Amino acid sequence: MRASAILSVQDLRKTYGSGESRHIIVDDLSFSLRRGECYGLLGPNGAGKTTTLRLCLGLTRPDSGYVTLVGRPVPEDARAARVRVGVVPQGDNLDPDFTVAENLMVFGRYFGIADRVISERIPRLLEFSSLAAKKDARISELSGGMRRRLTLARALINDPDLIFMDEPTTGLDPQARHMIWDRLKTLLKEGKTILLTTHFMDEAERLCDRLAVIDHGKMIAEGAPRDLIAAHIETQVVEAYGENALAWAESVARRLADRYEISGETVFCYTNNAQPLVDSLADANGVRYIHRPANLEDLFLKLTGREMRD
């Protein structure tokens, strides 16, 4: 691990249960974050992402391995380390008894910040999150997007060096997601570091400088999004669907595609030369198609599979 890393994780391991019921949740995981980057953790449900975040924050004790968070060993010195960290959890655990501004004030006091300093920061954070007009509103009066932006503003009250974000845009409409993305890009430009978990592949591709794909607690790929796509996936994808798509796949795609997969009524054809496939679809009855470059979702599905996870 690099000494200058703002977060270093080495050989981290966590299991639950014993005997036949023993489950490995995090399996000898190692990675590090450079200051000023957005690093993504991607994986199916149950892959170990949230447990990894808890281990990094010192909220769960590992069975083995080492974590250094903002220069401090975790979990031994986790409380002091978390003073320099902001956290955006999966759920909006805002206090409904307080107004927007009061939520920020109370949370800032948890860090021992003087009320005067918090009061100076609140207007800037409300402006940053486009909530200045909602300063005195109760949490019940806010939309889902507003609550999510307030949760982000709350995570910044201590002016952290590193921000943990656990699926920050889940449940938001496209407009709210894009607003959150804009705010995160602003934080990165200001030199903040972000550790992000997300199920949205477009979100990871837009925001992450580097990312790790983990499954069953083990890292299976790491790198810049476009580098990983180039290393693991053919350059072009043709998605064919419709009542005759499966028959077309059996007679044509199996010959012309480098490989193909079937999910429901859709045939995903992966190739470095899509033109023969596209030409074959021009006059295919009962088959529609989309021709596009390979993306991070294609990488994710190839590495982790298409089966549903609970």
Side-chain angles (χ1 to χ4, degrees), residues 2-283:
R2 291 173 46 177
S4 61
I6 193 169
L7 171 65
S8 293
V9 174
Q10 186 171 5
D11 302 327
L12 202 60
R13 187 174 180 86
K14 181 64 182 178
T15 61
Y16 288 107
S18 60
E20 293 183 358
S21 62
R22 179 170 171 267
H23 296 285
I24 301 174
I25 308 301
V26 177
D27 190 0
D28 295 325
L29 194 62
S30 298
F31 62 91
S32 63
L33 271 66
R34 306 163 186 151
R35 289 184 180 272
E37 77 171 336
C38 181
Y39 187 95
L41 285 180
L42 307 184
N45 289 331
K49 302 185 300 297
T50 297
T51 299
T52 298
L53 295 191
R54 291 184 57 84
L55 290 166
C56 291
L57 287 166
L59 302 175
T60 297
R61 182 172 289 273
D63 297 337
S64 60
Y66 305 93
V67 175
T68 303
L69 179 62
V70 292
R72 296 180 179 272
V74 170
E76 295 80 5
D77 208 3
R79 184 179 295 274
R82 288 198 295 265
V83 171
R84 302 304 313 146
V85 175
V87 179
V88 178
Q90 283 188 24
D92 295 323
N93 55 350
L94 300 164
D95 196 320
D97 295 327
F98 297 136
T99 66
V100 166
E102 288 168 347
N103 263 272
L104 297 178
M105 175 62 74
V106 170
F107 199 73
R109 288 171 178 167
Y110 292 150
F111 292 94
I113 305 171
D115 285 3
R116 174 186 56 79
V117 176
I118 303 172
S119 295
E120 292 173 354
R121 292 179 180 177
I122 285 176
R124 184 173 69 254
L125 290 174
L126 292 178
E127 187 67 30
F128 172 81
S129 55
S130 298
L131 290 172
K134 297 291 184 178
K135 175 183 176 182
D136 298 318
R138 296 283 175 178
I139 302 306
S140 60
E141 300 173 34
L142 303 182
S143 67
M146 290 176 181
R147 289 195 298 271
R148 210 64 186 133
R149 298 199 309 269
L150 179 57
T151 303
L152 173 58
R154 187 186 64 177
L156 301 175
I157 193 68
N158 58 323
D159 191 24
D161 298 316
L162 172 61
I163 307 161
F164 284 63
M165 310 199 76
D166 198 2
E167 299 182 22
T169 62
T170 296
L172 299 185
D173 60 37
Q175 291 86 352
R177 286 178 65 204
H178 279 271
M179 179 172 283
I180 293 289
W181 292 347
D182 287 341
R183 299 304 184 267
L184 298 187
K185 289 175 183 177
T186 298
L187 293 173
L188 292 168
K189 289 178 182 177
E190 293 174 353
K192 303 293 187 186
T193 308
I194 295 175
L195 177 58
L196 172 74
T197 76
T198 180
H199 284 296
F200 295 113
M201 297 300 107
D202 57 337
E203 182 165 277
E205 200 162 351
R206 284 171 180 263
L207 296 175
C208 294
D209 300 291
R210 294 185 301 135
L211 56 86
V213 181
I214 63 174
D215 200 7
H216 303 293
K218 185 178 288 291
M219 183 182 293
I220 55 178
E222 183 186 39
R226 298 311 306 178
D227 292 343
L228 288 174
I229 293 168
H232 292 276
I233 298 289
E234 296 81 358
T235 58
Q236 301 293 308
V237 182
V238 176
E239 298 181 24
Y241 56 97
E243 59 184 17
N244 293 330
L246 300 186
W248 172 84
E250 182 66 22
S251 63
V252 178
R254 66 183 301 178
R255 292 186 293 106
L256 299 180
D258 294 349
R259 63 184 179 91
Y260 72 93
E261 299 175 356
I262 297 174
S263 180
E265 67 164 12
T266 302
V267 182
F268 294 85
C269 301
Y270 300 94
T271 179
N272 291 313
N273 179 17
Q275 198 58 51
L277 285 164
V278 172
D279 290 342
S280 76
L281 287 163
D283 299 318

